[in-house]
Amino acid sequence: MQQIGIEDHPRRRDPAPSRWAFRFQRLWLTPLFRTTLRVGVPILTVAFFAGWYFSEAANREALRDKIAEIRASVAERPEFQVKLMAIDGASEELSADIREVLPVDFPISSFDLDLEQMRAVVEQLDAIGAAKLRIRPGGILQIDVTERVPAVVWRLGRAIELLDATGRRVAAISRRSQRLDLPLVVGEGADAAVAEALRLVAAAVPIEDRLRGLVRVGARRWDLVLDREQRILLPENGAVEALEQMIALDQAKDLLARDLVAVDMRNARRPTLRMAPPAVEELRRIKALEIGESD
Amino acid sequence: MTDLYQTQRAMRNMRLAAMQRGVVAILDIGTSKIACLVLRFDGAEAYREPDGIGSLAGQSAFRVIGAATTRSRGVRFGEIDAMQETERAVRTAVQAAQKMANVRVDHVIACFSGAEPRSYGLAGEIELQDSTVSEHDVARVLASCEVPDFGEGREVLHAQPVNFALDHRASLADPRGQIGNRLACDMHLLTIDADAIENLLYCIKRCDMELAGIASSAYASGISSLVEDEQELGAACIDMGGGSTGLSIFIRKHMIYADSVRLGGDHVTQDISKGLQVSLNVAERIKTFYGGVVATGMDDREMIELGGDTGDWEHDRRTVSRSELIGIMRPRVEEILEEVRARLDGAGFEHLPSQQIVLTGGASQIPGLDGLAPKILGNNVRIGRPLRVQGLPQAATGAAFASCVGLSLFAAHPQDEWWDFEMPMDRYPARSLKRALKWFKDNW
């Protein structure tokens, strides 16, 4: 006969933790160990599996495709479509140039437009001083352009170009007569000194009708060229002051009306005149007469 | 004795390290229960110099963040009897306390009641080299105390200077910086069985922890159960534990005598078990539910079911009246108290100015003890409960936790012991000095 009830009182489990359980609990209460296990191990695990997953090229490709797909699905929404380009503040010609340098196939997503880069491209056009690009509501790429204002005509060899006040090239023209309203500058390095040239032109208002142009000599100093092949040689520094002095002389003594080839103002304290050969002859004759008379 | 000096100093250093880390465990290894408290030292006291007694009598220095109690195993008369069992019980208590505190504890301050503590009063006297008493002089006078021959296999547990005298002025608490010619001191030395300490050390070590201090549980209970003026004016604290009853006498805030009686609440339980023919568990339950020491007429009519599961109806249906139970318990309690009285008389307690006796410990909760104890111990008897400390769970505020709480206070404010002072040069072993001299001779 089987005895009943022998399992009714199983041995009570020892409530004391085993040595290893005790040690493990203490280890678990160690802050460093705990942090390592709670933070370090999950991070390591995730990093390991991610690394393992991406170590295969196909997976990387799939992820890249997926990302591209999601991005495209957002970018191709009609809200982000840019349909046309509007250019304000530019002439017909310049607008055409801008459209040429910005080859954008409309409609395009605004995500695909790099406005900063486009602005840099547009601003590389010589005729453009500054450009502002933005995407207007309604899917319009708005380009606000400030054109460069040509200040002088620069002739170098056979090329004739328009420069703005800072010396930047604006456009090329075929003939000087196209822009007779602008002063002419000639010579190498003239573009670097356009500001001074403009000041000289402003100072030369009293002899404006005689002014033909300015010549940059040795990329260093200016010569003022007047009609009748007259030249005013200006110093490197203080050219405007020298010119004002010259004009004062002219107004006092009507100097430029005389038969002079050049006035050398390079030394401000000693203006030098070069006369035309007939005038020299004449002067010599007069001197000789004077001498003869005195003899 | 240099050995002991080193051990105790190492323990003291470990305690300082534990304080630095801020967490220390208190372990009370008793015969009936093992209690563990986890203390965190982060109160205001941790950041300022101790100045006087500190706020909240120095208790704000620590906070109890974990507490656990477990039934004791393998401990008899307050001594470790079966190492493996005790180790398991310690692990249980420590694990539960750690879990509650949610912090790992590496340092343990332990106390136990057994191991036959013996008190010695020591006296020492020196001539001061300098007219001012320096720390070095204190160390010298402590070292000059004549150590009695306390026998083989005994170890010093406490060696506390309790009194200093400078010339004709006695009972100085702190003689440092005072002017005089002769410095004398009284020291209280408590020795216990060396084996008990060894066992405890080994047991703690097996639990992967380090012992950062040990104290006698009678001393610890005294710290927590005696109020300040009792400690000052002189009182005895009787810690009635499970396997042994510790007693400590305090005067002027110093323990001057400690002893233990190897009788306790467990013996009462055994008597009930034997007298009523029930198992120890049932006897313990009956004792805690119905126990008492003063019988009244009502108790004759209160019948207690003894129960049992032998299958014998007659045996399992036995009842006993409460007065019978009291009749079993009372002689044993009387015996314990008489034994305590004898020890107190032996220690000369009657010569103290105050005769206050405070009963504490788990067995002091027997109803009616406050009526019985004055008959044996004298009129000034009260039942004491330990001081309340911050964070202590309600379940651990009873009289049974007096030594735990006392040990916490002891950890926060340790009493100066002999080994806290630098050992004077002449007490160093002569060999090392000779070696140093030889080194000088060889090299210069």
Side-chain angles (χ1 to χ4, degrees):
Chain A
M1 205 169 100
Q2 179 123 25
Q3 213 169 2
I4 301 168
I6 203 153
E7 290 299 311
D8 285 356
H9 300 286
R11 278 184 60 113
R12 283 188 56 194
R13 209 177 56 81
D14 190 349
S18 69
R19 267 191 103 176
W20 286 108
F22 181 71
R23 277 185 186 163
F24 178 74
Q25 197 228 16
R26 284 169 62 75
L27 189 64
W28 184 239
L29 286 173
T30 312
L32 184 66
F33 177 79
R34 215 185 157 106
T35 319
T36 313
L37 220 61
R38 280 179 55 233
V39 180
V41 168
I43 286 177
L44 273 179
T45 315
V46 169
F48 171 75
F49 280 107
W52 177 70
Y53 182 77
F54 288 116
S55 63
E56 286 189 33
N59 290 333
R60 283 202 299 273
E61 200 59 42
L63 185 78
R64 212 171 293 141
D65 289 351
K66 188 74 190 163
I67 289 171
E69 189 186 309
I70 291 168
R71 185 187 178 283
S73 74
V74 174
E76 281 168 9
R77 289 180 69 84
E79 291 87 340
F80 298 120
Q81 293 295 312
V82 177
K83 287 183 281 294
L84 54 95
M85 182 192 293
I87 300 173
D88 277 358
S91 61
E92 289 288 313
E93 211 178 316
L94 194 54
S95 299
D97 284 350
I98 290 171
R99 281 174 205 285
E100 195 175 312
V101 297
L102 290 182
V104 186
D105 300 333
F106 294 109
I108 189 171
S109 167
S110 60
F111 284 89
D112 296 332
L113 291 174
D114 183 357
L115 293 183
E116 200 54 36
Q117 188 256 333
M118 285 163 73
R119 191 175 72 90
V121 168
V122 169
E123 285 189 346
Q124 275 183 357
L125 286 179
D126 289 324
I128 292 175
K132 272 194 274 179
L133 275 77
R134 64 194 175 90
I135 292 168
R136 238 167 50 190
I140 299 166
L141 175 62
Q142 173 75 40
I143 304 178
D144 292 323
V145 171
T146 314
E147 278 194 60
R148 284 187 197 284
V149 183
V152 292
V153 178
W154 180 33
R155 193 171 67 206
L156 185 66
R158 299 191 66 82
I160 303 175
E161 286 176 344
L162 296 176
L163 301 182
D164 75 348
T166 60
R168 277 285 310 256
R169 184 184 175 278
V170 176
I173 51 176
S174 49
R175 276 173 293 120
R176 161 74 174 117
S177 55
Q178 281 177 330
R179 294 305 295 263
L180 278 174
D181 55 325
L182 297 179
L184 175 73
V185 297
V186 180
E188 235 173 273
D191 55 338
V194 171
E196 200 184 10
L198 288 174
R199 280 207 305 278
L200 287 173
V201 170
V205 168
I207 51 172
E208 198 176 17
D209 49 339
R210 293 197 57 204
L211 184 65
R212 280 296 161 81
L214 290 96
V215 179
R216 190 70 172 166
V217 179
R220 181 168 63 82
R221 59 174 199 85
W222 287 108
D223 271 6
L224 219 63
V225 178
L226 307 179
D227 58 354
R228 293 200 347 255
E229 295 292 314
Q230 276 186 343
R231 267 175 182 257
I232 301 171
L233 283 64
L234 295 172
E236 215 170 313
N237 300 317
V240 178
E241 288 76 25
L243 179 63
E244 278 166 353
Q245 194 183 351
M246 174 63 229
I247 286 167
L249 270 175
D250 177 44
Q251 281 168 348
K253 297 277 169 86
D254 204 12
L255 193 65
L256 294 174
R258 304 181 190 231
D259 194 7
L260 295 174
V261 176
V263 182
D264 188 350
M265 297 295 293
R266 284 178 293 180
N267 189 339
R269 286 188 299 177
R270 188 167 56 83
T272 313
L273 308 181
R274 192 194 306 156
M275 291 180 291
V280 176
E281 288 294 314
E282 188 62 23
L283 186 63
R284 282 195 183 136
R285 197 179 60 80
I286 292 168
K287 287 272 188 202
L289 277 179
E290 276 176 7
I291 293 165
E293 267 179 10
S294 65
D295 283 341
Chain B
M1 223 161 136
T2 320
D3 235 21
L4 167 92
Y5 188 88
Q6 302 298 353
T7 328
Q8 293 277 15
R9 270 199 96 107
M11 265 196 236
R12 175 59 58 107
N13 287 338
M14 221 173 282
R15 180 155 63 206
L16 288 178
M19 299 282 237
Q20 207 80 50
R21 275 176 70 169
V23 178
V24 69
I26 297 293
L27 198 63
D28 173 23
I29 299 179
T31 315
S32 62
K33 65 151 183 27
I34 291 185
C36 179
L37 302 182
V38 179
L39 307 185
R40 194 175 62 204
F41 289 89
D42 59 355
E45 256 78 356
Y47 304 107
R48 68 177 177 87
E49 284 291 300
D51 174 26
I53 198 151
S55 56
L56 284 177
Q59 297 167 46
S60 65
F62 66 87
R63 185 179 173 84
V64 179
I65 55 170
T69 318
T70 184
R71 188 170 64 94
S72 181
R73 299 154 67 180
V75 182
R76 282 176 68 222
F77 303 121
E79 296 157 26
I80 294 171
D81 187 51
M83 182 87 73
Q84 314 286 330
E85 289 289 300
T86 312
E87 189 198 318
R88 285 202 189 102
V90 168
R91 279 208 304 258
T92 315
V94 170
Q95 189 181 40
Q98 277 181 346
K99 198 169 178 181
M100 178 172 165
N102 201 18
V103 66
R104 176 189 169 141
V105 193
D106 286 327
H107 298 93
V108 173
I109 300 178
C111 74
F112 57 96
S113 57
E116 294 181 13
R118 261 178 241 153
S119 274
Y120 298 89
L122 272 53
E125 196 174 80
I126 54 157
E127 293 283 338
L128 290 178
Q129 292 163 333
D130 202 351
S131 60
T132 317
V133 181
S134 66
E135 191 129 345
H136 179 69
D137 291 320
V138 175
R140 265 193 332 132
V141 74
L142 291 179
S144 75
C145 289
E146 195 162 328
V147 178
D149 178 22
F150 40 69
E152 198 65 30
R154 303 284 293 176
E155 197 76 91
V156 178
L157 184 62
H158 292 294
Q160 298 164 338
V162 293
N163 182 25
F164 288 99
L166 196 56
D167 294 341
H168 57 279
R169 292 183 300 139
S171 67
L172 299 173
D174 187 355
R176 281 175 298 177
Q178 302 199 35
I179 314 283
N181 295 315
R182 297 173 62 76
L183 180 66
C185 87
D186 297 317
M187 189 152 75
H188 172 236
L189 193 77
L190 189 70
T191 67
I192 54 166
D193 273 345
D195 301 341
I197 294 190
E198 297 284 322
N199 287 345
L200 181 69
L201 268 170
Y202 187 67
C203 190
I204 299 290
K205 205 174 153 193
R206 298 242 329 155
C207 294
D208 299 333
M209 292 183 291
E210 282 174 297
L211 200 60
I214 44 179
S216 157
S217 79
Y219 175 50
S221 311
I223 295 174
S224 70
S225 304
L226 299 182
V227 298
E228 205 177 329
D229 50 350
E230 285 169 345
Q231 282 184 22
E232 179 69 37
L233 299 173
C237 173
I238 293 161
D239 179 8
M240 302 176 74
S244 67
T245 299
L247 62 115
S248 56
I249 300 176
F250 279 71
I251 191 164
R252 253 185 264 119
K253 301 229 168 86
H254 291 294
M255 177 172 70
I256 53 165
Y257 179 80
D259 204 343
S260 91
V261 178
R262 288 161 83 84
L263 286 169
D266 282 358
H267 297 89
V268 179
T269 311
Q270 274 173 27
D271 288 349
I272 295 170
S273 169
K274 284 171 187 161
L276 301 179
Q277 296 286 316
V278 290
S279 70
L280 274 177
N281 288 342
V282 174
E284 180 72 30
R285 193 176 64 83
I286 290 173
K287 181 184 85 174
T288 46
F289 279 143
Y290 310 105
V293 285
V294 182
T296 61
M298 178 70 182
D299 294 330
D300 288 333
R301 296 194 294 279
E302 190 179 342
M303 302 306 283
I304 302 163
E305 297 241 350
L306 293 184
D309 52 1
T310 56
D312 179 357
W313 196 88
E314 292 291 339
H315 185 266
D316 290 353
R317 290 280 141 193
R318 282 175 305 153
T319 55
V320 69
S321 73
R322 189 166 176 233
S323 44
E324 275 178 276
L325 177 67
I326 289 170
I328 294 171
M329 285 175 71
R330 184 176 171 122
R332 182 61 91 170
V333 176
E334 276 176 352
E335 187 195 351
I336 295 172
L337 292 177
E338 269 158 13
E339 193 69 29
V340 167
R341 177 78 252 172
R343 299 292 171 100
L344 285 178
D345 288 343
F349 180 65
E350 69 266 31
H351 301 302
L352 285 192
S354 163
Q355 299 287 312
Q356 184 71 38
I357 291 176
V358 177
L359 296 175
T360 186
S364 73
Q365 292 163 314
I366 306 173
L369 189 66
D370 50 347
L372 175 65
K375 293 195 176 114
I376 298 163
L377 296 175
N379 273 330
N380 290 330
V381 175
R382 72 176 179 93
I383 311 289
R385 285 157 62 87
L387 229 76
R388 271 180 278 183
V389 293
Q390 239 186 335
L392 196 68
Q394 181 65 38
T397 52
F401 292 86
S403 52
C404 260
V405 174
L407 205 54
S408 308
L409 298 172
F410 170 74
H413 287 279
Q415 155 93 42
D416 276 344
E417 305 235 13
W418 175 53
W419 34 82
D420 289 330
F421 295 93
E422 288 298 326
M423 194 185 231
M425 271 313 269
D426 51 335
R427 284 293 162 137
Y428 272 115
R431 252 187 76 225
S432 65
L433 219 66
K434 266 182 199 153
R435 225 191 290 159
L437 273 175
K438 187 169 174 294
W439 186 85
F440 265 98
K441 270 183 197 158
D442 291 349
N443 289 280
W444 295 84

